[in-house]
């Protein structure tokens, strides 16, 4: 079975969706490791409960970014993954790390990229007066939140929304699309070529699969 390594920093609701998809037979893969850069997060408990080896590599123990990334890289390499999946992983990764896993490194970002790269995306969508917001799954390249988009899902923004309302609406979509993309990937249908996402030999448009 294809081997997936999941990187988290927190709650792990995306991880849970993947665990559920594996158990439900929609994702034909094995989650071989979960790694958090923060100790004590709920996502690690979710992994343990599902019987998945859970590791914590606390970035605070590594004052130099390169050293953290090198350690993380060798830990990931040791589980020989076919896919490395960032699921609420809140650390910027060095270009060297990203290149090492190029083509099998995926991320989910809570905005309609290229809008709102970086942090606080829900509040920024509200502050911007947007009537629509959403989430993107993309291949990771050294450009932060700039890799080719695979799929997006859109949600409405309502007038009285707080950032937390919007986050909840977006995360409902996350749980739906991330396992779907992973199944495409592990089935060999999805690749990155010349900085573009390719699904079933079709180059996907900038907004991804529609
Ligand atoms: C998700 O909304 C994800 O899109 C976001 O963090 C949340 C993690 O939730 N990721 C980023 O902001 C990446 N920069 P989870 O831990 O419950 O999966």
């Amino acid at each position: 079975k294809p081997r997936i390594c999941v990187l988290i920093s927190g709650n792990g609701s995306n991880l849970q969706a993947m665990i559920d998809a594996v158990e439900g037979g929609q994702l034909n893969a094995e989650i071989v490791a979960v790694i958090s850069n923060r100790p004590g997060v709920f996502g690690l408990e979710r992994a343990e409960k599902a019987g998945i080896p859970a590791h914590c590599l606390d970035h605070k123990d590594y004052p130099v970014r390169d050293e953290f990334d090198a350690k993380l890289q060798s830990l990931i390499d040791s589980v020989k993954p076919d896919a490395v999946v960032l699921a609420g992983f809140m650390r910027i990764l060095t270009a060297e790390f990203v290149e090492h896993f190029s083509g099998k490194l995926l991320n989910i970002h809570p905005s309609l990229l290229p809008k709102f790269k970086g942090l606080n995306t829900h509040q920024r969508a509200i502050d911007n007066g947007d009537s629509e917001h959403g989430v993107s799954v993309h291949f990771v390249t050294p450009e932060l939140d700039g890799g080719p988009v695979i799929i997006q899902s859109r949600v409405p923004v309502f007038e009285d929304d707080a950032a937390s309302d919007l986050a909840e609406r977006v995360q409902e979509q996350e749980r739906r699309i991330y396992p779907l993309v992973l199944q495409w990937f592990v089935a060999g249908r999805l690749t990155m070529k010349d900085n573009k996402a390719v699904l079933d030999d079709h180059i996907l448009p900038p907004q991804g699969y529609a």
Side-chain angles (χ1 to χ4, degrees):
K1 277 203 173 174
R3 300 166 66 80
I4 297 178
C5 178
V6 183
L7 272 53
I8 63 167
S9 300
N11 179 35
S13 66
N14 279 288
L15 167 66
Q16 189 66 54
M18 294 166 201
I19 292 169
D20 294 347
V22 168
E23 285 175 358
Q26 298 96 338
L27 176 53
N28 191 13
E30 187 184 349
I31 303 173
V32 291
V34 170
I35 304 170
S36 172
N37 68 310
R38 285 199 196 120
V41 297
F42 188 54
L44 286 169
E45 275 179 51
R46 295 183 193 267
E48 277 157 21
K49 193 163 171 230
I52 301 165
H55 309 265
C56 179
L57 197 63
D58 190 343
H59 64 268
K60 294 204 177 95
D61 295 337
Y62 300 85
V64 181
R65 185 179 294 278
D66 292 25
E67 282 172 20
F68 174 76
D69 280 27
K71 191 83 188 170
L72 182 61
Q73 182 175 311
S74 60
L75 178 56
I76 297 170
D77 280 340
S78 74
V79 302
K80 302 194 183 326
D82 299 292
V84 180
V85 173
L86 309 181
F89 186 71
M90 303 303 281
R91 288 280 296 173
I92 291 174
L93 295 160
T94 54
E96 198 190 351
F97 179 99
V98 170
E99 298 289 3
H100 180 76
F101 295 109
S102 179
K104 57 177 171 178
L105 187 57
L106 301 168
N107 183 41
I108 191 158
H109 181 77
S111 78
L112 297 171
L113 289 171
K115 269 192 158 182
F116 309 130
K117 297 175 179 179
L119 298 174
N120 301 319
T121 57
H122 308 303
Q123 190 59 52
R124 285 158 70 199
I126 291 169
D127 294 347
N128 203 42
D130 290 7
S131 59
E132 207 178 41
H133 181 50
V135 56
S136 309
V137 177
H138 64 95
F139 281 107
V140 178
T141 63
E143 190 197 336
L144 179 68
D145 298 328
V149 170
I150 298 160
I151 194 171
Q152 294 186 324
S153 182
R154 292 162 187 275
V155 302
V157 182
F158 299 121
E159 260 183 27
D160 53 355
D161 271 343
S164 58
D165 300 316
L166 203 44
E168 209 174 294
R169 202 170 301 131
V170 165
Q171 282 171 12
E172 204 180 299
Q173 297 304 311
E174 297 187 357
R175 295 193 281 273
R176 197 172 62 77
I177 63 174
Y178 216 174
L180 178 72
V181 166
L182 290 179
Q183 176 55 31
W184 291 345
F185 186 82
V186 299
R189 297 176 56 191
L190 180 65
T191 54
M192 181 169 74
K193 268 195 203 99
D194 303 327
N195 217 49
K196 295 208 160 60
V198 179
L199 178 65
D200 295 333
D201 296 321
H202 298 289
I203 296 171
L204 293 174
Q207 71 276 17
Y209 176 86

